[in-house]
Amino acid sequence: MYKIFLVEDDEAIAAAIVRHITSWGWEARRAGDLTRVLEEFAAFAPHLVLLDIGLPYRNGYHWCAELRRLSRVPVIFLSSASDNMNIVMAMNMGGDDFIAKPFDLEVLAAKIQALLRRAYEFGAAPPLLEHRGAVLDTGDNSLSYEGRKLELTRNEYRILQVLLEHKGKTVSRDTLMQKLWETDSFVDENTLTVNVTRLRRKLEGLGLDDFIHTRKGLGYLLE
């Protein structure tokens, strides 16, 4: 059973969220003491955190920064302050998603489900993934080859991670797009093509020619 930790000072909102989360079969717990969020987080060991921004004592940005010192658990920010500045700040502080108040509880549950699936149901990747002497470090999102290190963007890293985890097998474009952009928003397929093309150029610059193969009409693979 997945455990969801809620940090919210509005009792009515918190009660509604906890009831709805529980109805989905997840275990939910609200922070009881907003001066001891870290201690309660560590004691509960949740799989995901729902974090309000406008909290007494310390705001949500503070607590997210503190949580990131301990864990990479997914964090969804909740806030009535939904201007671009707050959204950007939330992502920069380590948040994985942002939901503006007021929100529909079904939308919240769907976002929680998507993050849980992405974070846990694909399974934990080994710390290092290797192919043709190139090693992907899942700790710092970099690729090393013959003593040289290549820094990867978030999307480049995820493309390589999925292909390496399925080495020797064709990975469909749909699978890659779901892994990279698990969202309700429409994503043009050309966006994936652009990311793969850019990644191939970087790999060639590292001396890894023909590292990613295309299977026309099917997808990509490493062989």
Side-chain angles (χ1 to χ4, degrees):
M1 179 185 293
Y2 289 116
K3 297 190 291 184
I4 315 297
F5 185 53
L6 172 63
V7 186
E8 167 65 63
D9 63 322
D10 186 305
E11 293 188 9
I13 293 176
I17 291 174
V18 168
R19 281 195 304 270
H20 197 73
I21 287 174
T22 303
S23 74
W24 273 68
W26 301 317
E27 182 180 354
R29 180 181 298 180
R30 178 192 176 196
D33 185 346
L34 294 178
T35 67
R36 303 181 68 250
V37 171
L38 277 186
E39 290 89 335
E40 294 192 23
F41 167 84
F44 187 44
H47 297 90
L48 183 142
V49 175
L50 300 175
L51 182 59
D52 188 22
I53 293 177
L55 297 168
Y57 310 114
R58 300 279 190 173
N59 65 28
Y61 299 137
H62 167 82
W63 290 120
C64 187
E66 292 299 305
L67 290 174
R68 282 288 171 258
R69 298 177 190 273
L70 303 177
S71 172
R72 297 178 66 182
V73 64
V75 173
I76 298 178
F77 275 101
L78 311 174
S79 178
S80 56
S82 58
D83 57 278
N84 289 341
M85 181 66 73
N86 274 287
I87 295 173
V88 170
M89 179 74 76
M91 298 300 102
N92 287 341
M93 293 301 293
D96 296 277
D97 208 337
F98 185 103
I99 302 181
K101 296 179 180 178
F103 50 80
D104 186 285
L105 288 171
E106 290 297 334
V107 172
L108 173 63
K111 285 182 173 286
I112 291 173
Q113 187 177 50
L115 267 178
L116 289 173
R117 183 168 63 247
R118 189 169 65 208
Y120 303 107
E121 291 184 11
F122 284 105
L128 298 175
L129 297 169
E130 184 274 339
H131 180 61
R132 282 177 46 186
V135 178
L136 183 69
D137 188 334
T138 61
D140 67 0
N141 295 9
S142 66
L143 186 77
S144 299
Y145 179 66
E146 294 185 346
R148 298 171 63 193
K149 191 171 184 177
L150 180 66
E151 299 297 332
L152 302 169
T153 66
R154 173 177 173 272
N155 284 347
E156 292 165 352
Y157 166 77
R158 287 191 172 181
I159 290 169
L160 279 179
Q161 180 187 14
V162 175
L163 292 177
L164 284 164
E165 288 172 347
H166 299 83
K167 188 165 58 173
K169 299 178 182 178
T170 300
V171 179
S172 70
R173 290 176 61 86
D174 284 346
T175 297
L176 281 172
M177 290 178 70
Q178 289 171 10
K179 182 70 173 178
L180 268 62
W181 300 285
E182 192 158 9
T183 173
D184 294 331
S185 302
F186 173 76
V187 178
D188 193 313
E189 281 199 27
N190 287 332
T191 306
L192 175 61
T193 302
V194 169
N195 277 269
V196 172
T197 299
R198 186 181 299 123
L199 175 58
R200 278 177 165 149
R201 287 173 182 162
K202 282 190 174 183
L203 293 171
E204 290 169 1
L206 201 62
L208 292 167
D209 297 332
D210 299 320
F211 194 77
I212 300 175
H213 295 265
T214 300
R215 289 292 176 263
K216 193 170 183 179
L218 297 174
Y220 304 98
L221 83 157
L222 306 181
E223 61 179 5

